[in-house]
């Protein structure tokens, strides 16, 4: 008896011939010979393992062997999806940019900024993010491909949300219609990234996010 196997080696049940009147008129669908079926659960396990390895040993010491071991799969399962650890990390970093942050919609500029800062602050304090981002930034200084992907993930992902907040504030008349979008993005995003990523400070003290919200809103209205 033969079985069909997907590209990750998982066996599937053998196909049984159809019988009865319907089988005479219903065409049978067959998978193309040699087609590779990549299991999504294995792909997700590998992605999670990459973040774990980055946090544990850093990009320079990370290996396909270590990723496979952490994910509980063979090295071939990793290589079927990505041809190197560089392409694996680039793919994951680029995916972060696509996912982005949730766009606040509270009805006021200060409300939107407060929600943005709450979400961003929690994300940057996550143990994995707090270790992975600085490590990738150091690697980006030596690798232009990682630098480009990291900039896309960190800047473009944040820019989409920030631009939405600015546009909503324009429509409500809270800020000027001709406000400089780039300067607004710097004002909105800079403080938290400086604290969490550059100086890697502790959790913001009580009341810090509220004060930052008021200061940023005032600065945007003054532009």
């Amino acid at each position: 008896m033969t079985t069909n196997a997907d590209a990750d080696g998982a066996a599937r049940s053998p196909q049984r011939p159809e019988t009865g009147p319907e089988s005479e008129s219903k065409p049978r669908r067959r998978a193309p010979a040699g087609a590779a079926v990549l299991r999504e659960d294995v792909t997700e396990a590998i992605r999670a393992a990459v973040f774990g390895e980055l946090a544990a040993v850093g990009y320079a010491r990370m290996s396909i062997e270590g990723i496979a071991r952490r994910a509980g799969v063979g090295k071939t399962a990793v290589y079927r999806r990505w041809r190197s650890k560089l392409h694996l990390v680039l793919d994951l970093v680029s995916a972060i940019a696509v996912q982005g942050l949730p766009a606040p919609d509270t009805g006021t500029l200060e409300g939107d900024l407060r929600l943005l800062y709450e979400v961003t602050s929690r994300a940057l304090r996550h143990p994995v993010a707090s270790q992975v981002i600085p490590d990738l930034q150091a690697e980006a200084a030596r690798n232009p491909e990682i630098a480009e992907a990291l900039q896309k993930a960190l800047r473009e992902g944040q820019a989409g949300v920030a631009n939405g907040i600015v546009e909503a504030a324009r429509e409500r008349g809270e800020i000027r219609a001709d406000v400089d979008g780039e300067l607004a993005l710097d004002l909105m995003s800079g403080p938290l990234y400086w604290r969490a990523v550059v100086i890697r400070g502790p959790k913001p003290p009580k009341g810090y996010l509220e004060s930052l919200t008021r200061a940023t809103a005032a600065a945007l209205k003054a532009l």
Side-chain angles (χ1 to χ4, degrees), residues 66 119 141 174 186 197 216:
V119 174
E174 294 179 282
D186 291 343
V197 178
T216 305

Side-chain angles (χ1 to χ4, degrees), residues 5 7 31-37:
V37 180

Side-chain angles (χ1 to χ4, degrees), residues 38-113:
L38 301 179
R39 288 170 44 188
E40 186 61 27
D41 61 326
V42 173
T43 302
E44 289 305 312
I46 294 171
R47 286 176 175 144
V50 172
F51 285 114
E53 284 293 288
L54 282 171
V57 303
Y59 178 83
R61 295 175 56 197
M62 186 178 73
S63 66
I64 295 296
E65 290 82 358
I67 293 169
R69 184 167 53 251
R70 185 181 289 267
V73 302
K75 289 191 298 182
T76 53
V78 181
Y79 281 119
R80 286 189 185 104
R81 292 161 172 81
W82 300 276
R83 64 179 183 268
S84 70
K85 73 172 186 179
L86 172 61
H87 290 89
L88 204 168
V89 171
L90 290 177
D91 179 52
L92 295 187
V93 171
S94 298
I96 296 174
V98 175
Q99 295 172 359
L101 295 168
D105 186 18
T106 65
T108 68
L109 175 59
E110 287 198 18
D112 288 351
L113 289 171

Side-chain angles (χ1 to χ4, degrees), residues 1-217:
M1 181 177 68
T2 60
T3 61
N4 296 325
D6 63 20
D8 296 310
R12 298 199 300 268
S13 301
Q15 295 181 349
R16 297 180 179 179
E18 296 182 3
T19 59
E22 293 184 0
S23 64
E24 298 178 1
S25 59
K26 182 179 179 180
R28 296 182 62 183
R29 300 177 61 185
R30 300 179 62 184
V37 180
L38 301 179
R39 288 170 44 188
E40 186 61 27
D41 61 326
V42 173
T43 302
E44 289 305 312
I46 294 171
R47 286 176 175 144
V50 172
F51 285 114
E53 284 293 288
L54 282 171
V57 303
Y59 178 83
R61 295 175 56 197
M62 186 178 73
S63 66
I64 295 296
E65 290 82 358
I67 293 169
R69 184 167 53 251
R70 185 181 289 267
V73 302
K75 289 191 298 182
T76 53
V78 181
Y79 281 119
R80 286 189 185 104
R81 292 161 172 81
W82 300 276
R83 64 179 183 268
S84 70
K85 73 172 186 179
L86 172 61
H87 290 89
L88 204 168
V89 171
L90 290 177
D91 179 52
L92 295 187
V93 171
S94 298
I96 296 174
V98 175
Q99 295 172 359
L101 295 168
D105 186 18
T106 65
T108 68
L109 175 59
E110 287 198 18
D112 288 351
L113 289 171
R114 183 68 173 85
L115 185 56
L116 173 66
Y117 288 151
E118 286 179 358
V119 174
T120 304
S121 180
R122 284 198 301 267
L124 292 175
R125 291 200 316 272
H126 189 281
V128 173
S130 65
Q131 292 175 286
V132 168
I133 293 176
D135 182 66
L136 288 180
Q137 285 182 319
E139 193 63 33
R142 299 182 289 270
N143 191 313
E145 290 182 277
I146 290 182
E148 182 180 356
L150 191 61
Q151 181 181 27
K152 180 179 179 64
L154 294 180
R155 184 169 181 81
E156 292 188 9
Q158 186 84 5
V161 177
N163 289 339
I165 292 176
V166 169
E167 184 58 33
R170 280 195 187 110
E171 294 178 356
R172 291 191 297 262
E174 294 179 282
I175 60 176
R176 290 170 45 186
D178 60 347
V179 67
D180 186 328
E182 284 294 311
L183 183 54
L185 174 61
D186 291 343
L187 286 170
M188 295 165 64
S189 304
L192 283 184
Y193 279 97
W194 170 262
R195 171 179 286 272
V197 178
V198 180
I199 64 173
R200 306 188 71 177
K203 180 180 179 180
K206 183 178 180 180
Y208 174 81
L209 295 183
E210 289 84 352
S211 297
L212 180 60
T213 295
R214 290 193 298 271
T216 305

